[in-house]
Amino acid sequence: MKIISCENSENPPVFIWGEDPTHGETTQQLFEKVKTLTAKPFAIVSFDITDWNGQLSPWEAPAVFGNNKFSGKGKSTLQYLEEEIVPKVRESFSESKIYLAGYSLAGLFSLWGLYQSVLFDGAVCCSSSLWFENWDTFALSHDIKKSVDIYMSLGKQESNTRNIIMAKVGERTNQQKSLLEKNPLIKNLIFEWNEGGHFSDPLLRTAKGIAAILNI
């Protein structure tokens, strides 16, 4: 676990971010990008993700490319955040609002976490993998646990893929947006279209989401 926070800030909003070590030190990079977008104080708390498809998938699902299926260990990851990370955050920031933040499958996990837990005040869900098997039926049959703020974004070209499963992401994202707009538990819903496809500057897109929540 790593905590990076703005200086001289007491109980700033905290964003929990999963860092994949194979992508380098992304937490510090993300922190610096957010600082260029807003003057509001904030903190980023990171935890390691060593099995992306496993740790972040809410339930088991077949692979959509290659042989790396989704093993559905998201419940264990969420339990770890609730029982280990959040209490440690509270030791440093006793009254802070705590948000989940993620990109791609981590964006899906962040949104799913709001359906499972009352410990989070919202989520930043960027280019989320809402094409995930049975997510559409899950979202229709479950509800957010408490009043929250949510930021969502998607690249304009993300649906333009030859993978017929992933090509559903635009339709699924619009469906999710409509559901949240009708939900009285959503205090603020911010949705943004970005230029480009799925791999167009994930850190900047996530930083934009964090800044948007900070500027509410």
Side-chain angles (χ1 to χ4, degrees):
M1 173 180 153
K2 181 191 303 179
I3 299 177
I4 305 176
S5 64
C6 294
E7 296 180 1
N8 303 319
S9 59
E10 183 177 355
N11 293 313
V14 174
F15 296 85
I16 297 178
W17 160 264
E19 183 174 74
D20 182 348
T22 64
H23 292 166
E25 295 290 332
T26 58
T27 304
Q28 184 66 46
Q29 295 174 47
L30 178 60
F31 181 80
E32 297 300 332
K33 285 182 181 291
V34 176
K35 285 176 64 177
T36 68
L37 299 173
T38 180
K40 299 288 183 64
F42 67 98
I44 295 179
V45 173
S46 67
F47 66 99
D48 285 344
I49 299 176
T50 56
D51 175 12
W52 187 268
N53 280 15
Q55 287 175 252
L56 298 174
S57 50
W59 50 80
E60 290 188 19
V64 293
F65 52 84
N67 297 313
N68 194 5
K69 72 173 186 178
F70 301 95
S71 56
K73 299 176 183 176
K75 290 184 179 179
S76 295
T77 303
L78 185 61
Q79 183 177 6
Y80 169 70
L81 297 183
E82 291 181 311
E83 297 180 359
E84 300 291 336
I85 298 297
V86 171
K88 290 179 180 178
V89 169
R90 288 293 177 219
E91 291 176 5
S92 299
F93 310 110
S94 60
E95 299 179 14
S96 288
K97 289 186 175 182
I98 301 177
Y99 299 87
L100 295 169
Y103 193 91
S104 193
L105 189 60
L108 174 77
F109 174 84
S110 296
L111 181 59
W112 172 76
L114 302 184
Y115 286 87
Q116 303 295 310
S117 177
V118 297
L119 295 186
F120 306 105
D121 296 286
V124 174
C125 314
C126 301
S127 293
S128 303
S129 303
L130 299 183
W131 47 260
F132 194 80
E133 185 178 67
N134 296 325
W135 176 262
D136 51 344
T137 55
F138 172 86
L140 284 170
S141 58
H142 293 76
D143 204 358
I144 303 291
K145 292 292 187 181
K146 60 179 282 189
S147 183
V148 293
D149 300 312
I150 298 177
Y151 172 91
M152 296 175 63
S153 70
L154 191 68
K156 294 178 181 178
Q157 303 301 318
E158 292 197 50
S159 296
N160 298 337
T161 172
R162 294 180 181 179
N163 187 302
I164 59 174
I165 296 175
M166 290 183 169
K168 299 176 183 177
V169 69
E171 176 187 349
R172 290 279 188 88
T173 299
N174 282 324
Q175 290 173 349
Q176 183 70 49
K177 177 174 174 286
S178 296
L179 281 176
L180 296 176
E181 286 173 338
K182 299 172 186 175
N183 191 329
L185 286 176
I186 310 304
K187 292 188 294 184
N188 295 284
L189 174 64
I190 303 168
F191 181 83
E192 184 173 11
W193 286 103
N194 288 305
E195 297 298 329
H198 187 68
F199 299 102
S200 300
D201 210 337
L203 286 180
L204 178 59
R205 289 185 182 180
T206 307
K208 288 168 64 179
I210 292 175
I213 292 292
L214 291 172
N215 290 329
I216 290 175

